[in-house]
Amino acid sequence: MKLFLGILMAGLMVGAANAEKLTPERVYAAPDLTGPRARGVTLSPDGLMVSYLKAKADDVRMTDLWAADVAGGEPRLLLDARDLIPKDRELSEAEKSRRERQGVQTRGVVAYDWDEEGRFILVPVEGDLWLYTVAGGKVSRLTNSAADEIDAKVSPKGGFVSFVRDDNLFVLPSQGGAERALTTGGSELTSWGTADYIAQEEMARQTGYWWSPDETRIALTHVDQTGVDVVERLDIGATGATIVNQRYPRVGRPNSVVTLHVADVAAGKRVKIDLGAETDIYLARVDWSKDGKTLYVQRQSRDQRRLDLLAADPATGKTRVLLTETSPHWVELTDDFRPLKDGGFLWSSERSGWRHLYLHGADGKAVGAVTQGDWPVDEIAGVDEARGVVTFTAFKDNPIERRLYEVSFKTPAEPKALTPAGGWWTVKMAKAGGAFVGSYEDPATPPRTGLYGADGTLVRWIEANSLNQNHPYAPYAARLRTPTYGTVKAADGQDLWWSLRTPPGFDPAKRYPVIVQVYGGPGSATVRKIWHNPADQLFLEAGYILFSIDNRGTPNRSVAFKTAIDRRLGKLEVDDQMAGVTYLTSLPYVDPARIGVTGWSYGGYMSLLLMTAENSPYAATVAGAPPTEWTLYDTHYTERYMGTPKTDPASYADSEVLGRVSRLKSGSLLLMHGMADDNVTFDNSTRLMAALQAQGTTFETMMYPGLRHRAGWTQTHLLHRMRTTLDFFGRKLAPVAAE
């Protein structure tokens, strides 16, 4: 057993005896308890300015655009969202869905885009576009239409602004002039320049068009959804219900047919790119070469076991395969492809059993490994060709800390760490020179953002966010509880990392109830050295121990660890969570009769599986928006891990929640769901309700009218959800509030 002590709080301004107890009302009020965070941080192309989004002090759900000069001086407000938001503007259904896919949970200035020469910043605000000119600070309104302009971009040289409106692609001269449609005839079913549902929700491709470096061409998608099944979904709001005929590609059923074209910006003529004879594929990624003479396309097979990198001639549409990645499980998609000036490129692959970086020549052949070892690269942060260096984040020390490294891709050696250990780094690199903006956090340190030189030395703070006497969290800081970390062994001998937090005033001679926070699904880890959501402290103040463990299938680990769940979702994850609870109940201060579990989405699914496991040790659960039957979920996600119901029927049968609900104890479940969820659709919960009612099992529900899976939740909604959760667990687990 490895054991790592949590970071101890020191130097606090007030003693624990005099510190205030955190309340639900304060957690969801303004200002944000985490403090002033810089989000969406970007270095200007000329390296002279850092731009970022920051929430208003009086409204944590509204963000403005801020900037700080690299040379020094106080950060300044560039664009105030309240000055730009149109009166009584209602977002279109398409934009609401797009924000849901991106997980955007704020309003106001939620995104922005620099041109590559650093002259302009394009800002979409609630459906219309604004342009900020750096020289002089002028703000110009570009559009004022009833329809939403979405996925807006500044062309590389700053000559144009582009956007999608009503499923067609438009361009507009940035310095004034009439807008022009590059496509016509687009509709909801056959759209131009858009990313379809699967691309946005599961493939992390949020756009459907790409400018060439010289801004003379645009590569763009055509999406045909006519073959995708219509799923009638009730969008139930506070005052009524609407039937939404959603095109939802469920497992084993048709996907959208996506084709790729290159349009001449001046002439408007289009060339179709040859993606091969098979149309049932995924268009995963699109990139231009440095000179704009080659268009690179990543094509993924429907079963996701093959990924081809194609080189296309944008003038003729002809393609050739540069390289192919295959896997008996699945090939993960990344954004690590980086074209180089000589025609070669950097690429990440898991061919060694761990994700590492490789250099390839212009012919696609591997030149050699850039990184290697029993640890995974996270993602490429930047490439500086002048120095021959690639910077990347990685989990080199352990899977719960993320750091930034650099290494030469010309003469690879041991990577050099640019940031210290101990927590979690998020970075944005300058285009050249090695400078970067870095945000650091750990369990005792709220996210703080600074500008760093190429050697990792701090140049200046952007948002220092120090936890001092002026910080919003200061009145509660002395009661902040940080985690202890450790590992237990899975059945196959692999390490499973866990974290544990105890209540303020913890007495190891007493016995405490426990709440296990679970996600457990592929793509997200819960055990990380980060600044945790202040809402977690509410459970600790209520008298609970908090525990989490990352089971097999979760990220930041080896290929063997991640793919162990292949074709058996819901099996090994449960086994590993049970191994965590076995360790948990061995602790003398844990009451094994008072263990609850909670999670949202895949975490809701896991909560139900854990509650219905044979001889389950859990006494109660709050399960949110759970996928209860995988045949109701989408193609790309589900088929990656499960195949299809036709090819792998046993996998689907074994993974269903409904087949095991006979083991659920009456009164042990609180089920939550948004009643307009278009991701994990509401029928996942209605089927569960019907099954429990049919067998006479009592349970509680809390349904939220008008709310989706992620977006749309207000602070008031979150406060209500937390109060409801605390009330339910309080009645089932009988905690004694912390002193």
Side-chain angles (χ1 to χ4, degrees), residues 648-662:
D648 296 271
S651 296
Y652 281 82
D654 293 343
S655 68
E656 283 189 9
V657 170
L658 301 185
R660 49 196 287 161
V661 293
S662 60

Side-chain angles (χ1 to χ4, degrees), residues 66-374:
W66 284 70
D69 292 328
V70 169
E74 290 297 313
R76 63 190 185 278
L77 178 66
L78 289 188
L79 291 174
D80 187 323
R82 289 194 177 118
D83 292 340
L84 306 180
I85 294 177
K87 301 295 183 184
D88 302 320
R89 178 66 176 264
E90 179 70 19
L91 292 175
S92 67
E93 184 68 22
E95 179 61 6
K96 288 179 182 178
S97 296
R98 188 169 182 269
R99 292 190 180 196
E100 171 67 24
R101 304 284 79 76
Q102 295 176 334
V104 174
Q105 299 183 25
T106 58
R107 58 196 179 99
V109 183
V110 299
Y112 64 96
D113 186 47
W114 281 91
D115 73 301
E116 293 187 4
E117 297 187 358
R119 295 183 297 163
F120 308 111
I121 304 176
L122 177 65
V123 181
V125 180
E126 305 301 298
D128 283 322
L129 305 179
W130 302 77
L131 192 71
Y132 178 86
T133 303
V134 175
K138 179 183 177 182
V139 182
S140 305
R141 185 168 190 163
L142 298 180
T143 65
N144 187 6
S145 64
D148 290 338
E149 287 79 40
I150 66 173
D151 196 13
K153 304 175 187 179
V154 183
S155 61
K157 295 182 178 297
F160 299 93
V161 168
S162 54
F163 55 88
V164 175
R165 180 199 293 147
D166 292 333
D167 299 297
N168 284 297
L169 182 62
F170 290 77
V171 294
L172 175 70
S174 60
Q175 295 302 291
E179 66 183 32
R180 180 162 49 92
L182 276 188
T183 67
T184 58
S187 68
E188 182 181 355
L189 292 183
T190 55
S191 59
W192 287 100
T194 61
D196 63 312
Y197 177 93
I198 286 297
Q200 294 181 46
E201 179 64 34
E202 307 298 358
M203 297 166 59
R205 177 168 67 78
Q206 303 297 332
T207 189
Y209 72 95
W210 302 263
W211 280 95
S212 66
D214 62 2
E215 65 186 36
T216 62
R217 293 180 170 127
I218 297 179
L220 71 160
T221 60
H222 181 263
V223 178
D224 184 349
Q225 297 189 82
T226 55
V228 178
D229 292 344
V230 175
V231 174
E232 288 190 345
R233 176 176 60 82
L234 270 179
D235 193 326
I236 304 172
T239 59
T242 302
I243 296 178
V244 178
N245 291 318
Q246 182 176 346
R247 296 280 173 166
Y248 192 102
R250 284 181 168 162
V251 295
R253 300 295 299 155
N255 277 318
S256 299
V257 176
V258 181
T259 54
L260 184 64
H261 307 255
V262 174
D264 184 290
V265 175
K269 295 181 179 180
R270 291 192 298 269
V271 173
K272 185 177 181 181
I273 302 299
D274 181 8
L275 299 180
E278 178 59 67
T279 60
D280 193 12
I281 59 166
Y282 294 108
L283 177 65
R285 299 288 186 269
V286 177
D287 295 275
W288 286 91
S289 63
K290 293 286 189 179
D291 60 10
K293 294 180 180 179
T294 303
L295 186 68
Y296 297 104
V297 183
Q298 294 182 43
R299 177 185 65 193
Q300 189 181 46
S301 61
R302 174 71 184 254
D303 65 7
Q304 300 179 59
R305 291 175 171 176
R306 179 185 177 101
L307 179 69
D308 297 312
L309 177 64
L310 309 179
D313 182 343
T316 65
K318 293 182 179 180
T319 58
R320 57 191 174 92
V321 177
L322 283 180
L323 68 80
T324 296
E325 293 278 353
T326 61
S327 168
H329 306 288
W330 60 82
V331 180
E332 290 191 355
L333 301 177
T334 75
D335 292 309
D336 291 335
F337 173 74
R338 291 292 192 279
L340 304 174
K341 291 179 180 178
D342 65 1
F345 55 90
L346 291 168
W347 178 262
S348 68
S349 171
E350 294 186 318
R351 64 189 68 152
S352 70
W354 300 84
R355 179 164 300 285
H356 280 294
L357 304 181
Y358 296 85
L359 177 64
H360 288 254
D363 58 1
K365 294 181 180 179
V367 175
V370 177
T371 62
Q372 55 187 324
D374 291 345

Side-chain angles (χ1 to χ4, degrees), residues 484-496:
T484 298
Y485 298 96
T487 63
V488 297
K489 294 291 185 183
D492 63 1
Q494 298 192 81
D495 286 335
L496 307 172

Side-chain angles (χ1 to χ4, degrees), residues 506-562:
F506 172 69
D507 182 352
K510 296 181 179 179
R511 282 196 153 188
Y512 292 83
V514 180
I515 291 178
V516 177
Q517 294 175 313
V518 64
Y519 181 75
S524 184
T526 57
V527 182
R528 298 179 294 164
K529 287 189 176 180
I530 61 172
W531 171 261
H532 293 282
N533 186 338
D536 287 355
Q537 187 72 16
L538 297 175
F539 291 111
L540 303 175
E541 293 288 2
Y544 300 101
I545 289 172
L546 282 181
F547 182 80
S548 289
I549 186 169
D550 281 335
N551 47 254
R552 281 171 289 178
T554 54
N556 314 333
R557 304 294 297 271
S558 68
V559 172
F561 188 92
K562 294 188 297 181

Side-chain angles (χ1 to χ4, degrees), residues 357 370-371 388-392 405-409 412-416:
L357 304 181
V370 177
T371 62
V389 165
V390 56
T391 51
F392 60 94
Y405 298 85
E406 73 169 18
V407 67
S408 170
F409 58 81
E414 181 67 16
K416 172 187 175 184

